[in-house]
Amino acid sequence: MPFAQWCGLQPQDTDKMPESAWKLVFYTMSWSYSTYLLFFTNYNFFHNPPSVFYDWKSGMMVPMDIAIAYLIQGSFYGHSIYATVYMDAWRKDSTVMVVHHVITLALITFSYAFRFHNIGLLVLFLHDINDVQLEFTKLNVYFKTRGGGYYPIHDILSSMGFVSFSITWFWFRLYWFPLKVLYATCVSSLQSVPNIPFYFFFNFLLLMLLCMNIYWFLFIVALLAKVLTGQMNDVKDLREYEGEEGAQRALLKASEQQQQSEEAGHLNHSAENQPLTNSTERRQVQNGINKEKHL
């Protein structure tokens, strides 16, 4: 936040920049780690998806490198449920985002418990790349107008980021995800393990994830249509509330945060004064003074 203020971002962008900066750092690191595991180690799950269920056994050992990825991702999405509701800017799809985080956390938890961690690693790889591009694009949108000036380099970078984001969203989430992940979990799993447990439950969660990917792709198509038809001149997040409605929501959130801050300060002030009051009353009793006095 101080860095955004120092750069002279517009007030509404100053509030949203820290969220995008944090997510860009996290998703870049998490996707890089998933890429390393899938392409620079002995795991061949991306090129041979059915192999995720080879030699599967209930209660089998989870490799430490995959367990680390699960620990980091599970921690992040557990926090993201809270952050979406109480910290991040509220958007038109925030309710769906909360549902997405709950389903993702359930997939991470249950795939680890059921020892479906191999397919889980592939799911994380196919999804995190889009979040890297999304947050990169949003940051450049915020930075193209700052300090009273306009910076075309950020406009160019945001446009390039949006184009690559749109392509990879379709390619990774709507093509490779069904082709590699859903085929492996729906078909190959039964071929390798005929009585595999929690088959319908796990595939139901994955299909829910696919439905949300399609839902968000509609926002991408809508934005592309507006740009191509001349209704919009630059890249902008269609999920954001605009104009008076956006200002009202920002004001409401700021008011709630100020109220919470004041309540916390009042509690701290009371807690600080309480020991002093108690010690004074004890001294009065020790001195034989029976009259009550209050500070």
Side-chain angles (χ1 to χ4, degrees), residues 3 8 105 121 136 144 178-179 182 201 206 243 246 250 272 274 287:
F3 178 72
L105 187 60
L121 178 63
F136 172 81
K144 68 182 178 182
L179 180 67
L182 293 180
F201 173 73
L206 289 173
E272 290 172 357
Q274 187 63 35
N287 294 333

Side-chain angles (χ1 to χ4, degrees), residues 91-94 96 162 165-166 169 212-226 232 236-240:
R91 301 180 175 89
K92 297 175 183 177
D93 67 334
S94 290
V96 179
F162 176 70
F165 166 75
S166 305
W169 185 284
M212 284 185 284
N213 288 338
I214 295 172
Y215 167 78
W216 278 309
F217 188 66
L218 297 179
F219 280 99
I220 299 174
V221 173
L223 179 56
L224 281 173
K226 287 191 173 185
M232 289 178 58
K236 156 170 27 174
D237 195 343
L238 293 181
R239 303 170 304 156
E240 303 280 357

